[in-house]
Amino acid sequence: MISDSSGAGDPSALGVVQAEPRPGMVELGPGYLDPGLVPAALIQRWAAEAVSRWGTRSLAYGANPGPWELRAWLAARMPATGAARCAPANVMITGGTSAALDMLAVRFASEGRVVLTEDPTYDLGRLIFAGRGATTVPVPSPVDDLDVSLLRQATREALRATGVPPAIYLIPTFHNPTGRVLSAERRQEVLALARDTGAIVVEDQAYAEICYDGEPPPPLWAGSLGQETVITLYSFAKCLAPGLRLGWLVGGERLVAELATEPARLSGGGPNHFTAMLVMAGCLNGELDRHIAFLRSGLRTRRDVLLSALAAGLPPDFTLRRPAGGFFAWLTLPAGLSDLELLRAAEQRGVS
């Protein structure tokens, strides 16, 4: 996605966002929404609606697990994705996916759990676990699939080494960075592995709302029937705006209750409470779902334009995967061609 170049060169704009776009460079690296798809006017209206509707309660310390009405709305929406028996008690509002991963990383490290990840996977997700002291083990997988036999072997090795079942961090739907979607058969194999070994599956669904061709498959949590074996993470960053720093977690009632009473929440309540309230306003008035439909259409068009341009311009030895959702299209290079050499050549032509 192309980053916003507005404000580039303006000293007053420096230090406002995490990554400033370089003037004259088309940035295709980071997973940023086109600014034209960020609903700034909607968010502004929802903020005013939150204050008007809930008054100073929207500006107070929020309920520890997050606003009940928002959790109820998200729980009721889960059956549309195939999940089973989801209730507000299964849902907790988080400070986005990264904050949720950080919270789980602290928990896993204290329990002595090894964290198994796909390879490749979201590199910063692995970094979050490692940064909290959890041992991470990458498990090689095909670009378009998951090697469950290797995952089972790594699970057994982690269990033998620590005496504690590992956690397994997966991105099953619109994978970052490959874009692949796990098949229903592979999902059942992962759930069977978790049931057999006691492993905990952390399912990162950050991109699940961003589907272009039909509807995404149900989350792994649906197959776990609400047991404590799967923790599913969602984010409003990809379907609204990353600066909201808001997401939600779906898991067993016992886990959610424990996480909601951690000291940081007892001290200050649920994270980003005002943001949660304004997003709740957009959920309850129906505008969030309408915006997501608009976003899917806009991103689908951008995907198709990108893939058409690449298909027309790439030599035959390149292999391009067509993503059914998410932010990333995976390109396999010919043997002997270095990705760093390709990057340098592209940047000389104004594309990174």
Side-chain angles (χ1 to χ4, degrees):
M1 307 306 160
I2 298 175
S3 298
D4 189 2
S5 60
S6 62
D10 177 4
S12 66
L14 297 177
V16 173
V17 299
Q18 185 180 50
E20 296 284 356
R22 292 169 287 180
M25 185 70 71
V26 177
E27 303 278 8
L28 295 178
Y32 296 159
L33 274 174
D34 185 323
L37 297 176
V38 176
L42 269 183
I43 292 171
Q44 183 179 31
R45 187 164 71 249
W46 296 348
E49 183 176 336
V51 174
S52 174
R53 182 169 180 175
W54 291 287
T56 56
R57 289 186 297 163
S58 66
L59 299 167
Y61 289 123
N64 292 347
W68 188 91
E69 286 181 277
L70 178 56
R71 294 163 56 220
W73 188 89
L74 293 168
R77 197 166 180 262
M78 284 291 283
T81 63
R85 296 203 294 271
C86 190
N90 296 114
V91 178
M92 186 179 75
I93 305 304
T94 68
T97 300
S98 294
L101 288 175
D102 187 70
M103 174 180 59
L104 293 174
V106 171
R107 185 182 181 93
F108 294 157
S110 69
E111 294 171 342
R113 294 185 191 272
V114 170
V115 178
L116 308 179
T117 75
E118 301 161 282
D119 188 18
T121 191
Y122 174 47
D123 55 342
L124 296 180
R126 183 183 292 152
L127 187 64
I128 289 171
F129 287 116
R132 289 299 189 178
T135 299
T136 61
V137 177
V139 180
S141 290
V143 169
D144 59 349
D145 203 353
L146 179 69
D147 191 326
V148 178
S149 63
L150 286 180
L151 187 61
R152 183 177 290 274
Q153 178 182 335
T155 299
R156 289 171 175 163
E157 290 174 357
L159 183 55
R160 279 197 302 267
T162 65
V164 182
I168 302 172
Y169 173 62
L170 298 178
I171 309 174
T173 304
F174 312 139
H175 184 270
N176 175 3
T178 68
R180 68 100 170 92
V181 178
L182 278 187
S183 67
E185 177 185 5
R186 208 60 83 233
R187 291 166 189 258
Q188 289 303 314
E189 291 174 354
V190 170
L191 290 174
L193 170 60
R195 286 192 294 268
D196 293 345
T197 63
I200 295 175
V201 178
V202 179
E203 174 187 25
D204 188 340
Q205 290 278 86
Y207 298 92
E209 295 281 2
I210 312 302
C211 56
Y212 310 136
D213 305 324
E215 290 298 318
L220 289 167
W221 195 87
S224 73
L225 298 178
Q227 298 171 1
E228 304 288 337
T229 55
V230 178
I231 304 169
T232 301
L233 307 180
Y234 291 93
S235 175
F236 288 108
K238 313 306 178 187
C239 63
L240 279 175
L244 296 174
R245 305 305 297 157
L246 197 73
W248 69 101
L249 174 153
V250 179
E253 290 188 16
R254 179 181 59 81
L255 172 73
V256 169
E258 290 177 0
L259 293 175
T261 55
E262 290 192 343
R265 289 186 180 244
L266 295 178
S267 172
N272 299 342
H273 176 62
F274 180 68
T275 299
M277 296 298 286
L278 73 86
V279 169
M280 185 165 74
C283 293
L284 297 180
N285 67 19
E287 290 182 326
L288 175 65
D289 281 334
R290 290 195 291 274
H291 166 70
I292 290 174
F294 159 79
L295 180 65
R296 288 174 177 174
S297 176
L299 288 175
R300 183 185 301 113
T301 298
R302 286 159 173 77
R303 177 203 62 178
D304 293 345
V305 169
L306 174 67
L307 296 186
S308 294
L310 289 172
L314 285 173
D317 288 343
F318 287 77
T319 303
L320 179 64
R321 293 176 54 79
R322 179 183 179 85
F327 280 7
F328 304 103
W330 183 262
L331 185 67
T332 301
L333 308 185
L337 178 60
S338 162
D339 53 352
L340 294 178
E341 291 175 2
L342 181 61
L343 175 61
R344 282 193 290 270
E347 289 196 337
Q348 291 173 1
R349 292 160 175 80
V351 178
S352 180

